[in-house]
Amino acid sequence: MSIRKRSWKNTKGERKLAWQVDYRDNSGVRRSKQFARKKDAEAWFTSAAWQVSQGIHMADSQTITVEEAVTDWLNCAENEGLERSTLTSYEATARLHIIPLLGKAKLSKLSRPMIEKFRDELLRTRSRSMAQRAVRYLVQILNEANRRGVIAVNPAKGVTVKQERKKPVVVPSKEELRAIIAVCNVEERAFFMIAIFTGLRASELRGLVWSNIDFNCKTLHVSQRADAWSQIGPPKSNAGNRTIPLSERTLNALKEWKLACPLSESALVFPTKNGKPQSYSNLTKRKVLPVQVKAGVASPSLDQCGNVLMDKDGIAIMKGKYGLHAFRHAAASAWIDQNIDLKRLQSWMGHENIQITIDTYGHLMHDSVKDAAFVAASEKELFS
């Protein structure tokens, strides 16, 4: 590598002066880079020499922009067969939050300070959860670029956005759950009994088929779900494939509903009139919220004159106290009350690892009587 002074005349006959660094890259190809000031050339010379020695140098002409790297990343994700909802999240986050701020930057120009500035700008202009997602996706984008050999190192590695403190899950009270079940019709009772006593996710409820309910063994097996577009596919993760025991009351509710359930090509337990999986919004508007209103747990939205507000489909707009996920929490809470062990709780909830279970439901795992007994026993052990 060397630095040399270069002078020339431009088209106007004016004499120009620059400092040029000549070097060979990691592959032995001759490269050069020009600077207006000698000290800038010397600084870059020192940095590039070290990078070449470490085999991590990437010439500007050989690299791509962040926007081009995003395209490569999205193509790779699609080729890997990731879910449609995941691909949609990737594309929207990159288009709205990464490309506007970093899209034109060359990968070889990226540095840790630039990434930190990107992070700070996200936190200033976006929600914390969105900033966290955009930074996480940028790390993935640059990891893919590194795998393809268009960037030597990932300058975003280690850059994170501190997660917001999770709010404790809200669990319907036993009185509210009893009131809800008491006002249900045959279909609603089967639906809420499954939701409350098996803890299935909304997508798993929507994709549940009769063949996955074993009335003899008194179990429910989860093997599929309906995604946001009502397409049937595998569970959210490998842990989603699981078997959950069913109580007699739940089995009886299901038996009663099975006699009245509309036939569908895929034998769904809770199909639409056309035999298709129900959409999440339709399930919420036509079942989850109305039943809460009937039970006195929630109330309809009113205008200034006290009239019930209606949506474009003529359905009353309701102030639901609980979303469908709250009934999944109700199942976990009830099992915890019965002193279920953590590993079984993780399995029945379909969590990929036990840390998710602890983070979500750890605050529910307390027993003041037992806690006092533990403390008393440890004190007695010391002083006896």
Side-chain angles (χ1 to χ4, degrees):
M1 296 182 76
S2 63
I3 301 176
R4 61 186 176 89
K5 188 176 183 181
R6 178 173 175 258
S7 63
W8 72 99
K9 288 184 179 181
N10 63 16
T11 54
K12 297 180 180 179
E14 299 170 334
R15 181 164 294 280
K16 295 292 182 180
L17 180 66
W19 296 90
Q20 184 168 301
V21 179
D22 296 307
Y23 70 102
R24 291 185 182 274
D25 66 15
N26 305 326
S27 303
V29 178
R30 291 195 64 178
R31 305 281 182 191
S32 64
K33 191 173 179 65
Q34 194 165 279
F35 299 87
R37 300 187 304 175
K38 184 179 181 180
K39 67 176 183 178
D40 293 335
E42 290 173 338
W44 189 88
F45 177 94
T46 302
S47 175
W50 180 84
Q51 291 176 2
V52 170
S53 71
Q54 298 298 309
I56 61 173
H57 177 72
M58 186 67 63
D60 291 348
S61 60
Q62 300 300 111
T63 192
I64 60 177
T65 64
V66 170
E67 186 169 4
E68 291 170 318
V70 165
T71 300
D72 290 340
W73 173 64
L74 291 174
N75 289 336
C76 178
E78 188 172 0
N79 292 336
E80 289 288 342
L82 297 187
E83 287 192 355
R84 184 178 174 184
S85 58
T86 301
L87 294 174
T88 300
S89 173
Y90 281 3
E91 188 280 329
T93 303
R95 174 169 47 84
L96 298 173
H97 309 290
I98 297 176
I99 292 175
L101 298 178
L102 278 180
K104 302 304 179 185
K106 285 271 194 177
L107 298 190
S108 60
K109 297 286 189 181
L110 291 180
S111 64
R112 182 61 177 260
M114 283 180 65
I115 303 300
E116 293 288 1
K117 184 178 179 181
F118 165 75
R119 171 193 176 277
D120 294 344
E121 181 64 12
L122 286 172
L123 284 171
R124 189 181 70 81
T125 58
R126 275 80 166 172
S127 67
R128 178 168 290 274
S129 60
M130 180 52 69
Q132 185 181 33
R133 182 187 303 172
V135 169
R136 185 171 70 250
Y137 288 176
L138 179 64
V139 172
Q140 294 179 23
I141 291 164
L142 298 183
N143 278 338
E144 173 60 18
N146 178 253
R147 186 184 73 83
R148 290 172 175 270
V150 291
I151 188 173
V153 293
N154 184 348
K157 187 176 182 180
V159 178
T160 59
V161 175
K162 188 177 180 181
Q163 192 172 23
E164 287 181 306
R165 180 176 293 181
K166 283 188 176 181
K167 296 180 180 179
V169 298
V170 178
V171 182
S173 68
K174 291 181 174 62
E175 291 74 19
E176 290 173 323
L177 295 175
R178 283 194 289 266
I180 287 170
I181 293 171
V183 301
C184 287
N185 61 30
V186 174
E187 179 186 6
E188 292 164 349
R189 184 176 299 108
F191 179 84
F192 278 99
M193 291 292 284
I194 286 286
I196 293 168
F197 294 106
T198 69
L200 262 60
R201 299 178 175 92
S203 59
E204 295 166 345
L205 277 163
R206 293 165 50 233
L208 183 64
V209 290
W210 286 110
S211 60
N212 279 2
I213 297 174
D214 190 325
F215 288 96
N216 293 322
C217 294
K218 301 179 181 179
T219 58
L220 181 154
H221 182 66
V222 181
S223 64
Q224 63 180 39
R225 68 186 182 111
D227 67 14
W229 294 269
S230 295
Q231 297 296 309
I232 298 296
K236 189 175 181 181
S237 65
N238 290 334
N241 279 288
R242 61 198 189 277
T243 299
I244 305 166
L246 295 174
S247 67
E248 287 293 342
R249 285 179 184 269
T250 302
L251 284 166
N252 290 337
L254 284 167
K255 288 175 183 177
E256 190 177 3
W257 167 236
K258 191 173 184 181
L259 297 174
C261 180
L263 296 177
S264 64
E265 186 176 341
S266 51
L268 292 166
V269 178
F270 302 110
T272 63
K273 292 180 180 179
N274 298 324
K276 304 295 183 182
Q278 297 197 48
S279 68
Y280 181 85
S281 60
N282 191 59
L283 198 61
T284 300
K285 288 197 301 182
R286 296 180 181 272
K287 190 180 272 78
V288 177
L289 296 182
V291 170
Q292 290 184 60
V293 171
K294 281 196 295 182
V297 173
S299 59
S301 297
L302 306 177
D303 62 19
Q304 293 181 341
C305 298
N307 300 313
V308 176
L309 292 172
M310 312 293 281
D311 66 13
K312 59 183 179 61
D313 297 319
I315 301 173
I317 299 173
M318 302 173 194
K319 298 176 182 176
K321 185 174 182 180
Y322 301 110
L324 186 49
H325 210 70
F327 300 100
R328 174 170 162 83
H329 296 326
S333 176
W335 292 332
I336 290 169
D337 284 347
Q338 298 305 314
N339 296 317
I340 190 173
D341 61 88
L342 265 176
K343 197 63 184 175
R344 187 172 299 170
L345 179 61
Q346 175 199 347
S347 174
W348 289 0
M349 296 305 290
H351 288 156
E352 208 163 6
N353 60 70
I354 205 164
Q355 192 60 50
I356 296 173
T357 311
I358 294 171
D359 290 345
T360 307
Y361 300 113
H363 69 288
L364 298 177
M365 299 175 187
H366 62 84
D367 186 320
S368 57
V369 174
K370 286 186 177 180
D371 290 347
F374 287 143
V375 172
S378 63
E379 182 182 86
K380 184 178 179 180
E381 180 70 21
L382 178 62
F383 292 106
S384 60

